[in-house]
Amino acid sequence: MVTELSEATFQKFIDDNQLALIDCWAPWCGPCRRMAPILEQVAKAMEGKAGVAKMNTDDNPDLSMKLGINAIPALLIYKNGVPQPPLIGLRAKEEIISHLNALL
Amino acid sequence: MKGFDVAVIGSGPSGIQAAIHSSRKKASTVLLGKPSGSAMSGTHVENYFGIPGKADGDGLLRTGIAQAVSFGAVHIPESVTSLSVTPEGFRAVLEGGGEVTARAVILATGVSRVKLGIPGEKEFFGKGVSYCAVCDCSFYKGLKVAVIGGEAEAASSAEMMTRYASEVFWVSDDIRAADYAVGKAEAAGVRIIRLKPVSIGGGERVDSLNLSDGSSLRVDGVFIELGARSAAELAMDVDLMPEVDDTIAVDGSCATTVPGVFACGDITGRPWQVARAVGQGAQAGLSAADYAKGTAQ
């Protein structure tokens, strides 16, 4: 299941998941729309191993700025609360899963 | 606005062949796009059945378009900037400001080159370099940006960016977008720089774009928008989801999952060969004509 995050729930999600993947997206972004079903598949494949969530940058502009996001879709990754290099742009399911598994 | 049975988007070998077969099947057909945008333009062909030696690619494209026109197709050498669904079929907006409607659409845009290949492009991707102005425009409010590319997509992206950025430079030494699109961008306040970009500079993130005359633009973002609007983006305009590699899935009749939308040529996958593109073009032209005329089996 992909959790929808806001500024209020963002940090708790990172704290609650040893490995967290957060897709920063916006409704008008074509590649973001294409990422949505991929993210669902990643969430299913990584169930029990990583938390998968998404955050609408349009609804959370302050947090987006604070996170330094300037290109979407942006897949932010946190391991034990520590930010890892993000994956920017549309990615294949296999690539994302492989990337996450390497961090386990 | 002109109405047709079939609109073919893309004037390369696949699109031209689709227009030939569609028009020969007595479907009113419009062929959209500039042949100069085809991968065949500026090259030669030597592995196509019946053509000995090296055939000039531009010559083949010219001959093919003339053939399509001789069978009744109308050729409009303009890129399509957007596509939408209408009650009767589809509407395509052209870079020159005009529109055409059609009962069926064939996507035959080919595979567009996305990467520019200059120093700094890869290093600053996601740190000020973007390939999607529509996606990332809102992150550049009040900042300075450069848009790189010579075609309609760069023109419309630059014009759109003026609603967000404090200053927008449109950089290209080869502007081929229609006068209408260029004028629209200029009227919105875009500064056109007719030079070649040579490298992107910065530290943590982009801070400059270096140009072929040795000058440098101080910018916070660089948007790379090469070529015409891609098939993947046009597909999404009509709720057709492309594959993750930007290809469009089709069945044996070149139909997509959206009724009335067909695709052929390189955008449906490899191998990127003229022979495959032409064969699929013929199939797509026949299928679209059948669909448009209500005779699809």
Side-chain angles (χ1 to χ4, degrees), chain A residues 28-30 34 70-72 88, chain B residues 126 134-136 205 236 243 246:
Chain A
W28 63 75
C29 159
R34 291 164 65 188
N70 54 48
I72 52 174
I88 309 292
Chain B
V134 174
C135 303
D136 301 334
R205 45 171 298 127
M236 292 200 67
E243 303 296 311
D246 281 351

Side-chain angles (χ1 to χ4, degrees), chain B residues 17 48 254 274-284:
Chain B
Q17 192 67 55
Y48 189 82
C254 289
V274 176
R276 178 181 179 275
V278 166
Q280 271 200 329
Q283 179 62 66

Side-chain angles (χ1 to χ4, degrees), chain B residues 84-162:
Chain B
S84 58
V85 178
T86 69
E88 296 77 29
F90 305 92
R91 176 186 293 115
V93 178
L94 310 180
E95 63 173 312
E99 294 181 1
V100 298
T101 59
R103 292 168 56 80
V105 167
I106 299 174
L107 298 172
T109 58
V111 179
S112 55
R113 190 167 66 91
V114 178
K115 302 281 194 295
L116 192 59
I118 62 173
E121 179 182 4
K122 192 177 168 188
E123 297 85 333
F124 291 111
F125 175 54
K127 297 173 184 172
V129 169
S130 168
Y131 297 96
C132 182
V134 174
C135 303
D136 301 334
C137 53
S138 65
F139 302 122
Y140 291 86
K141 283 176 187 162
L143 302 178
K144 294 182 181 181
V145 300
V147 177
I148 297 174
E151 291 282 0
E153 190 64 2
S156 64
S157 295
E159 188 253 325
M160 184 198 66
M161 285 305 302
T162 60

Side-chain angles (χ1 to χ4, degrees), chain B residues 24-40:
Chain B
R24 272 178 69 90
K25 203 146 192 198
K26 305 298 180 199
S28 62
T29 302
V30 62
L31 176 61
L32 303 168
K34 301 166 190 168
S36 60
S38 166
M40 185 188 264

